[in-house]
Amino acid sequence: MASPSPSRRRFALFALAAAVVCVSFPLAEPALWSADQRVSSKLLIMFDQTVEPVAILVLALPLGVLIDRTRRRSVLVLSALLGAAALTSVPAAGALGAPTWPLLLTVMPATGVLAMVTGLGRDAYLPSVVRRERLLPANVLLLVLVPQIVVAPMKLTGAVWQGPVFLFAIGLTLAAAAALFRGISAVERPPPPRAGLWRETAEGISFTARHPALRAIALYLVLSALVAEITGAVAGEAWETAFRGLSGADSGSVWWLMSAPAYVPSVLGALVAVLLHRRIGTFRLAWWALIVTRPFTLLLALSGIGPGWVWYVLGTAVPATGRPVASVALLSHRQAVTPHRLLGRTGAVLVVLTTVAGGVADLLEGPAERLTEVGGVAPAALATVAALAAAIPLLRARRSADPGACGLTDRGERTSPAADLPPP
């Protein structure tokens, strides 16, 4: 039996390590909130949710420069090791009888920043691990399928893993991920000469702002974050209306009907993305996914008519199917059109923009909830129009991202052996 090719073994190591890190940080967060019983978990959650976004805003751009200055594999190894050290320090301090809450105030935002750095490093390193035409299937596996396989069963069953033993286990898992990253043999291009922190940061911002596709992706991400509160409020009200009559029913099918729209569509969308990306191209796939699926949000207005749960499931599950398609398609297109030396900085710019947009969106929570009190078709119609409006920047930029533009074929890879392409 023939042994796997080096490229397949390389991607298998990368996928396993990236999946471990992708799952470990989110699973550790609730465990940190309840790690010290002498401090209110609500207080720790409030502190974490306040400090972590500020830390990301301050550090994202400098860390993006750092990722582009060094080998991306080294960044992934170091971030995983630092995460392991941070998480294991909490149960170690508790075992020694030391107060853990001062340590938690540092570890909680630090793990959030490390998770962000790992995500940026993973996205910047992937084009060195796989060929450009395989970026989308690789992103589907890393960002959608594996996390859903691991996390969805825990969420559906309501299981929450906590305690010092769990934190210690997560720390050991991150250390194992660092060892896996260390074993990847992908060849990277040498980092560019250093030109100073501010100049390199400005180069990443300028490239994102001037490139038509990247500018459209940035605007889409910002607008999507802003309208998410409106769509979420309308969906929440529709949920109350659709399942009010079924809430007393002792049936497992009702629970699955209520929960499936949150988990099944992402897997379905991932499979759709893999099947269609070669035929229509990654950028156009993202635009079509949004245009086709987001009008179904209007069905939420019918959640109080007849079998309301049917309209609720369709009105939430179909748009939720389009979101992962657009997400992995846009990420794959960004990885394909961005020079290798700028991948970390462009990703950091998008992180900053989405973090700011998320903070502004939180301020819209109250108005969005008041909007749902209007009743009728108006809230769902507004949510539908807002969701479609977020896709307008992608529509305007679709011509510049068509096959042949930016030196790309219809599959998203470069038509000439550019200097930033990794060797086979």
Side-chain angles (χ1 to χ4, degrees), residues 34-424:
S34 58
D36 194 330
Q37 300 299 325
R38 293 168 292 184
V39 182
S40 170
S41 60
K42 292 183 179 180
L43 183 61
L44 290 176
I45 292 173
M46 185 181 302
F47 176 85
D48 187 23
Q49 294 179 345
T50 302
V51 176
E52 182 179 310
V54 175
I56 289 175
L57 281 176
V58 172
L59 297 174
L61 291 176
L63 289 173
V65 173
L66 177 63
I67 290 171
D68 287 337
R69 281 182 174 182
T70 59
R71 304 282 184 177
R72 278 69 186 267
R73 186 183 68 172
S74 301
V75 171
L76 293 171
V77 172
L78 181 60
S79 61
L81 287 176
L82 289 175
L87 292 176
T88 54
S89 67
V90 175
L96 295 174
T100 57
W101 68 265
L103 186 60
L104 284 172
L105 298 182
T106 302
V107 170
M108 288 189 300
T111 53
V113 173
L114 288 172
M116 180 268 295
V117 172
T118 304
L120 291 178
R122 176 200 62 216
D123 295 343
Y125 190 36
L126 183 61
S128 297
V129 177
V130 300
R131 295 181 180 274
R132 297 289 172 119
E133 64 270 20
R134 297 175 184 171
L135 283 172
L136 188 138
N139 282 318
V140 164
L141 180 66
L142 295 174
L143 303 181
V144 181
L145 294 182
V146 172
Q148 287 294 337
I149 291 171
V150 175
V151 177
M154 184 185 70
K155 290 187 176 180
L156 288 174
T157 57
V160 178
W161 299 327
Q162 297 179 348
V165 175
F166 178 65
L167 281 175
F168 189 76
I170 289 291
L172 291 181
T173 304
L174 286 172
L180 291 173
F181 280 131
R182 189 70 181 84
I184 299 172
S185 59
V187 178
E188 296 186 70
R189 298 293 178 184
R194 298 184 180 184
L197 177 63
W198 295 111
R199 188 171 179 178
E200 292 174 56
T201 302
E203 184 183 10
I205 296 173
S206 175
F207 183 83
T208 305
R210 293 181 180 181
H211 193 286
L214 295 189
R215 183 171 62 245
I217 292 172
L219 289 173
Y220 160 74
L221 292 175
V222 169
L223 292 175
S224 294
L226 293 177
V227 305
E229 287 293 339
I230 300 175
T231 306
V234 173
E237 182 66 22
W239 184 87
E240 293 287 345
T241 304
F243 292 99
R244 185 179 296 122
L246 301 176
S247 58
D250 186 14
S251 173
S253 60
V254 173
W255 168 252
W256 281 101
L257 282 174
M258 296 165 65
S259 304
Y263 306 108
V264 175
S266 58
V267 177
L268 179 61
L271 297 177
V272 170
V274 172
L275 292 175
L276 296 181
H277 78 283
R278 289 180 178 273
R279 182 170 300 178
I280 63 178
T282 54
F283 195 87
R284 284 181 295 172
L285 172 64
W287 181 76
W288 277 111
L290 297 173
I291 295 301
V292 170
T293 62
R294 290 199 165 181
F296 281 81
T297 305
L298 190 59
L299 294 178
L300 295 175
L302 304 177
S303 58
I305 302 175
W309 62 267
V310 174
W311 308 122
Y312 170 80
V313 170
L314 289 175
T316 54
V318 176
T321 302
R323 279 194 294 272
V325 176
S327 178
V328 296
L330 293 177
L331 171 60
S332 302
H333 189 78
R334 176 173 71 83
Q335 291 169 324
V337 301
T338 304
H340 188 264
R341 63 186 179 83
L342 289 171
L343 281 168
R345 280 170 279 178
T346 57
V349 171
L350 297 182
V351 166
V352 169
L353 292 175
T354 52
T355 302
V356 172
V360 175
D362 290 339
L363 302 177
L364 300 177
E365 182 178 359
E369 291 179 353
R370 288 192 293 272
L371 172 67
T372 60
E373 298 173 0
V374 175
V377 182
L382 179 60
T384 304
V385 171
L388 288 172
I392 290 177
L394 302 180
L395 171 63
R396 293 171 64 89
R398 73 189 189 282
R399 290 185 179 179
S400 63
D402 276 345
C406 305
L408 301 176
T409 69
D410 59 350
R411 295 182 181 180
E413 68 266 24
R414 296 192 180 275
T415 55
S416 60
D420 57 89
L421 275 174

